[in-house]
């Protein structure tokens, strides 16, 4: 089948939507499509074979808030005119990318591409639904030729919060099963819990430390490894000191590809307040590591409760801690859960499978007439 010319716009962030967009770009390029990625700094994950177009925002003293969305739209139009066209522009995280895509499309007129917006989570649940952006986010969603969400839960939440009438297709996140794999040898034999996140309040890093403190009381050689950076890292470390467990907490900071650390763990803790998908849970499953997570958002669609991990109510620190202690003391059950997680990652969420689903979706959107909803 013909190869496509695909533009991808995303945040270059270390986790979440930035990783999904970059991995997708690389996967599409590997399949022979011409891929152009638009973002404001070099993405953290490597994107072999992808042309990267960095957006420069012009700052001027009058502009208290330099308009990134306009600079992005301009960059897309200039690039499309230079390279001779794109078939699809796929933007990740609705705010403000769906609006930049709309603007670029208007500017290009009949020569424009079709647009696809992927909703990732906080672009709907926190940022996009804030009164400051709600109206324009709804418009951006309606004006996209295709819209996908990373879980059924996020799809339903979008319909509920925005009263969106148009079709939203669930295309889940995915994992590179060759990069995220179980390992046979452990560098450190101590029972190891891992938490990886951007340490924003929504991740409840304080709960992570409270859970670990209970585990440490029952299993004194247990350790907690923290991956990532963010506003609640310092408060979490301060609590670890207060609870007397700081010497068993290892702060590894921001790690580009967390596969080595995840694969060396016994359990992943993800006690988030809300989570549309929880990419790191899938990455841990691919490494054969069971996940203890909150029963919220899209997490139950990723983690089969009792099969590849356990799910608990948000904030139920005791339940998380008891389950962690049980599993750390029951290697047979833990390994069975880890193997089930790997099997689920292989059957449902492999990079090959999901990248192909995106290509099929692009072709469907390109073939369709009048995809966007009229205002
Ligand atoms: O809000 C964040 O935590 C960041 C955000 C992102 O765009 O990087 O994460 C969201 O998208 C990820 C990729 O689709 C999902 O795995 C996360 O669950 C989601 N975060 C939330 O819903 C809180």
């Amino acid at each position: 089948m013909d190869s496509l010319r695909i533009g991808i716009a995303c945040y270059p962030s270390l986790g979440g939507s930035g990783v999904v967009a970059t991995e997708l770009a690389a996967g599409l390029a590997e399949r022979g499509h011409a891929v152009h990625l638009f973002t404001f700094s070099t993405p953290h994950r490597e994107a072999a074979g992808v042309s990267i177009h960095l957006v420069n925002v012009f700052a001027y003293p009058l502009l208290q808030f330099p308009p990134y969305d306009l600079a992005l739209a301009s960059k897309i139009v200039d690039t499309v005119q230079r390279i001779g066209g794109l078939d699809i522009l796929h933007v990740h995280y609705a705010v403000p990318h769906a609006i930049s895509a709309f603007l670029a499309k208007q500017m290009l007129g009949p020569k424009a591409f079709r647009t696809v917006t992927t909703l990732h989570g906080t672009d709907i649940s926190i940022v996009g639904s804030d009164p400051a952006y709600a109206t324009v986010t709804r418009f951006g969603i309606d004006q996209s030729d295709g819209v996908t969400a990373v879980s059924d839960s996020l799809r339903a939440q979008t319909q509920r919060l925005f009263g969106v009438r148009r079709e939203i297709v669930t295309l889940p996140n995915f994992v590179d099963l060759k990069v995220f794999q179980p390992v046979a040898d452990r560098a450190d034999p101590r029972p190891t819990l891992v938490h990886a996140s951007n340490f924003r309040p929504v991740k409840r890093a304080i709960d992570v430390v409270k859970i670990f403190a209970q585990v440490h009381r029952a299993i004194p050689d247990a350790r907690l490894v923290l991956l990532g950076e963010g506003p609640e890292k310092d408060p979490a470390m301060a609590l670890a000191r207060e609870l007397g467990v700081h010497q068993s907490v290892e702060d590894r900071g921001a790690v580009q590809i967390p596969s080595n650390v995840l694969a060396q763990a016994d359990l992943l803790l993800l006690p988030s307040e809300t989570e549309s998908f929880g990419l790191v849970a899938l990455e841990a499953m691919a490494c054969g590591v069971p996940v203890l997570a909150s029963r919220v958002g899209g997490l139950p669609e990723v983690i089969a409760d009792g099969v590849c991990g356990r799910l608990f109510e948000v904030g139920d620190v005791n339940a998380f801690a008891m389950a962690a202690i049980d599993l750390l003391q029951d290697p047979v059950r833990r390994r069975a859960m880890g193997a089930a997680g790997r099997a689920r990652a292989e059957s449902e969420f492999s990079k090959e499978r999901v990248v192909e689903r995106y290509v099929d979706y692009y072709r469907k959107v390109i073939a369709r007439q009048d995809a966007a909803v009229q205002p």
Side-chain angles (χ1 to χ4, degrees), residues 15-17 93 120-122 173 198 200 203 274-279:
S17 63
Y93 206 90
H120 277 274
T122 52
N173 289 335
N198 51 28
R200 295 194 189 124
K203 303 293 178 181
T274 164
E275 203 72 68
S276 66
F277 186 92
L279 184 60

Side-chain angles (χ1 to χ4, degrees), residues 282-316:
L282 174 60
E283 293 175 337
M285 283 161 54
C287 293
V289 175
V291 181
L292 303 184
S294 307
R295 190 180 291 108
V296 285
L299 287 172
E301 296 170 47
V302 181
I303 307 151
D305 191 11
V307 179
C308 28
R310 297 281 312 277
L311 300 175
F312 306 99
E313 295 313 305
V314 174
D316 194 348

Side-chain angles (χ1 to χ4, degrees), residues 41-252:
S41 70
T42 309
H44 284 273
R45 293 249 173 124
E46 205 192 329
V50 174
S51 305
I52 309 238
H53 305 276
L54 293 182
V55 179
N56 293 312
V57 178
F58 175 66
Y60 184 71
L62 182 69
L63 305 175
Q64 196 184 343
F65 308 105
Y68 174 72
D69 36 12
L70 300 186
L72 173 61
S74 252
K75 185 77 181 186
I76 292 168
V77 171
D78 293 346
T79 306
V80 168
Q81 281 170 341
R82 188 165 44 74
I83 64 176
L86 282 177
D87 300 304
I88 277 281
L89 176 67
H90 181 183
V91 303
H92 291 258
Y93 206 90
V95 185
H97 299 131
I99 296 301
S100 303
F102 170 78
L103 269 179
K105 191 173 167 179
Q106 294 294 309
M107 284 190 274
L108 285 162
K111 289 205 196 113
F113 35 68
R114 288 295 173 106
T115 57
V116 169
T117 296
T118 289
L119 312 172
H120 277 274
T122 52
D123 49 350
I124 295 303
S125 59
I126 299 180
V127 183
S129 52
D130 186 274
Y133 305 115
T135 303
V136 80
T137 303
R138 183 185 297 109
F139 180 81
I141 292 171
D142 277 343
Q143 290 303 312
S144 301
D145 296 311
V147 180
T148 77
V150 297
S151 61
D152 286 338
S153 155
L154 182 61
R155 179 169 54 78
Q157 188 179 31
T158 307
Q159 284 160 342
R160 197 171 62 245
L161 286 176
F162 291 99
V164 169
R165 290 172 288 136
R166 60 156 317 125
E167 180 192 56
I168 300 176
V169 172
T170 300
L171 289 180
N173 289 335
F174 54 85
V175 63
D176 187 332
L177 294 160
K178 293 192 282 298
V179 175
F180 291 85
Q181 295 202 48
V183 289
D185 299 320
R186 282 282 290 267
D188 188 326
R190 285 177 295 169
T192 302
L193 292 91
V194 170
H195 171 74
S197 77
N198 51 28
F199 287 81
R200 295 194 189 124
V202 74
K203 303 293 178 181
R204 296 182 73 98
I206 297 296
D207 281 5
V208 171
V209 174
K210 288 182 183 167
I211 294 164
F212 177 66
Q214 289 197 30
V215 172
H216 191 263
R217 264 201 295 281
I219 306 175
D221 64 337
R223 67 181 182 136
L224 171 67
V225 176
L226 299 178
L227 292 181
E229 287 298 341
E232 290 220 323
K233 172 66 85 56
D234 287 346
M237 293 305 285
L239 181 64
R241 268 190 297 280
E242 202 181 296
L243 298 175
V245 294
H246 59 289
Q247 277 171 345
S248 301
V249 178
E250 286 171 35
D251 175 9
R252 299 274 184 91

